[in-house]
Amino acid sequence: MVDADQTFVIVGGGLAGAKAAETLRAEGFSGRVILICDERDHPYERPPLSKGYLLGKEERDSVFVHEPAWYARNDIELHLGQTVDRIDRAAKTVRFGDDGTIVRYDKLLLVTGAEPRRLDIPGTDLAGVHHLRRLAHAERLKGVLAALGRDNGHLVIAGASWIGLEIAAAARTYGAEVTVIEHGPTPLHGVLGPELGNVFAQLHQEHGVRFRFGVRLTEIVGQDGMVLAARTDDGEEHPAHDVLAAIGAAPRTGLGEAAGLEIADRAHGGGIVVDERLRTSDPDIYAAGDVASFPHALFGTRLRVEHWANALNGGPAAARSMLGGEPAYDRVPYFFSDQYDLGMEYSGWAPAGSYDEVVIRGDAGKREFIAFWLKEGRVLAGMNVNVWDVTEPIQKLITSRAVVDAEALADPRVPLESLGA
């Protein structure tokens, strides 16, 4: 069968889906490419939603992966505002949820992403309770933060996650009062540990953010549909005009699960199980981005990565695999964050309990440093804070698996490129 006779269907219209479609055409695929997006907006990138766009520094049009005309110009059949409610693996078809249209595929890519975890407490139905995942959420939240800043209003954020901290920074920039409720002992405790978590706590405290660590929200109090306060399990009541839930995201595996695809256990982050070439348990169905649980040889485990770079790289990798030409997907996980005057990049994977040492190069007090997480002298991850153009050497240290000297690693006079050689 030649390419022109084949139909490749992509379910999910985020960055991974748009880049997969782009890669299929760039690699010369001449068959039908059908991209199905459950939002009415064209595929867009998510980082600006909690960064530049939320702060009003970037225009709405800047978030889109491609201009609208690009899809027709590249013969991509784009279906906006459409859902897929069923995969028939035997017939190799997907069914549109809105009108029951049946589309046959030769290869299918699931890039359905993730959705915000919801607070399971009284009061979440009030008008002032928010999540941030979609462009529409960011548009609404932008107006909310501006109003809170104008009226000296209070925002309570549940969760000192990356999203929670970025929105806290945006809210303070608008002038809102901010309280962050976090059940861990520091922000980002599970990702960075206490030493580095405290760096972010101090940053936000210097900008007027109040933290309540070691407690959880138990109720959002309201009247006439509006938020008045937020209660925590230590009996305190915190003033609030709006509440944001930033307690993580769950992979949108329902479609794949209903089709009988293998799903990873919770210990590996859930997600649709794929092999090193992003193929699911069905050889004609692939998955990438937030929803995929893939084996990473370097770290010796399955990973499910929710960050921008995984969508940027995973979508094209899946597309090339669908065409039969992709080697193992083994990108080092990477993400970045901007908060006030702090910019950071993180490469690698070092969850709590996986490392035995943290090495700091530079001045953490001045927030100009690189942190390295090591296990038996090998670098598992590195985070550069207000230090730039070091991602490549950090990632080379990680992928080399070389044993490095901790003193040399901590010494800014020793070039990173010379370590682990």
Side-chain angles (χ1 to χ4, degrees), residues 13 139 274 359 365:
E139 290 172 337
V274 296
V359 173

Side-chain angles (χ1 to χ4, degrees), residues 19 52 126 188 222 234 252 269 389 403:
K19 297 302 285 187
L126 296 168
L188 306 162
D234 60 352
R252 298 178 66 192
D389 300 322
V403 174

